[in-house]
Amino acid sequence: MNFREVGTIKTLVVVGHPQLADSGTQQFLKVAAELPLVTWHPVSEPVAIEQEQQLLQQADRIILQFPLYWYSAPALLKNWLDQVLTRQFAYPAAGGNLVGKSLGIVVTLGSPARQFKAGGDEQFTISELMAPFQALANKLKMNYLPTFVVDQFGYQSETEKAKLLIDYQRYLTQAPLGHFKAKSDWLIEQLRLQLAVAPAEQQQQLNLILTQLQSNQDELDDLQANLKLVQDMEDD
């Protein structure tokens, strides 16, 4: 099931992959990113700096997407960053064109994600390896998103790939990330959209899923309201 987003977040996916056409992972993600307010933008050389800066200005959420090369991004993407993020364009005290925007990282792994931890084969976590991008977001006063890891795509089952597709689309379009209610709202909206175009034989099943999600959401809202009431009483 390929969900479609109709929200208001404009997302730019900057893809830095030296062998993009040969990457099954990136071709899968490209199809998943075919959403109304998402722009899929492979990095190419020579870099047209002004055009790239315009794309960045038009986006609310900027995603840097790349395979992990020697614990960092490929030189193709690093060169793009060096040329496009000029002081005059990006520094908050100068152009400040990225202030308040969100920066996310989508990184694809050839080695198992479980190896990236203290005591593991790689010794360092993905979050630690992505720290330079977090520092970049901090410098430019952007909102840094949790890293989205694609773990050995070629070894994933069809079920795992289906989950990856939905999680990836949420990462590109859901606002805000990291909140259960936002995730639930996003799924409910996608199911409603799917119902509008689904064949009759699928509508009953989709309606059941939608009803269950809405019921769970109502229970969550009631719980949050009760917790707020308790907190207010404690403050008094």
Side-chain angles (χ1 to χ4, degrees), residues 54-235:
Q54 288 175 3
L55 285 173
L56 291 172
Q57 285 180 291
Q58 293 166 3
D60 304 305
R61 180 172 293 176
I62 298 163
I63 305 296
L64 302 180
Q65 182 167 298
F66 54 87
L68 190 67
Y69 277 22
W70 286 113
Y71 308 104
S72 185
L76 177 70
L77 183 58
K78 291 179 180 177
N79 180 59
W80 182 89
L81 289 168
D82 288 344
Q83 292 195 54
V84 175
L85 301 186
T86 63
R87 178 183 295 269
Q88 186 61 36
F89 172 77
Y91 269 43
N97 287 288
L98 302 181
V99 172
K101 297 181 184 293
S102 295
L103 178 65
I105 306 298
V106 174
V107 59
T108 63
L109 304 182
S111 300
R114 64 178 180 275
Q115 294 180 359
F116 290 86
K117 62 181 180 181
D121 289 352
E122 305 294 347
Q123 286 294 330
F124 295 90
T125 67
I126 293 297
S127 291
E128 289 171 329
L129 296 176
M130 296 299 107
F133 295 104
Q134 186 175 5
L136 174 67
N138 179 68
K139 181 71 172 181
L140 303 182
K141 298 190 182 303
M142 302 177 73
N143 302 312
Y144 188 69
L145 303 177
T147 301
F148 187 94
V149 177
V150 181
D151 184 14
Q152 291 192 300
F153 177 80
Y155 292 95
Q156 292 190 17
S157 66
E158 291 305 311
T159 299
E160 290 171 330
K161 288 178 181 178
K163 182 178 184 302
L164 170 64
L165 183 147
I166 295 173
D167 289 344
Y168 179 68
Q169 290 184 334
R170 285 202 307 106
Y171 190 76
L172 299 186
T173 60
Q174 178 185 308
L177 289 172
H179 295 270
F180 178 81
K181 186 178 185 304
K183 177 180 179 179
S184 179
D185 289 343
W186 186 91
L187 289 170
I188 288 171
E189 179 61 20
Q190 303 310 313
L191 283 170
R192 285 174 177 159
L193 293 173
Q194 195 71 22
L195 266 170
V197 298
E201 61 270 17
Q202 293 182 5
Q203 289 186 3
Q204 182 178 5
Q205 181 181 11
L206 288 173
N207 268 313
L208 288 172
I209 297 172
L210 180 59
T211 299
Q212 184 61 51
L213 275 174
Q214 289 174 322
S215 175
N216 291 343
Q217 184 63 64
D218 290 341
E219 291 176 5
L220 176 63
D221 290 342
D222 289 342
L223 176 60
Q224 290 177 328
N226 288 332
L227 286 173
K228 180 65 167 58
L229 180 61
V230 170
Q231 290 172 348
D232 290 343
M233 293 173 63
E234 289 178 347
D235 291 340

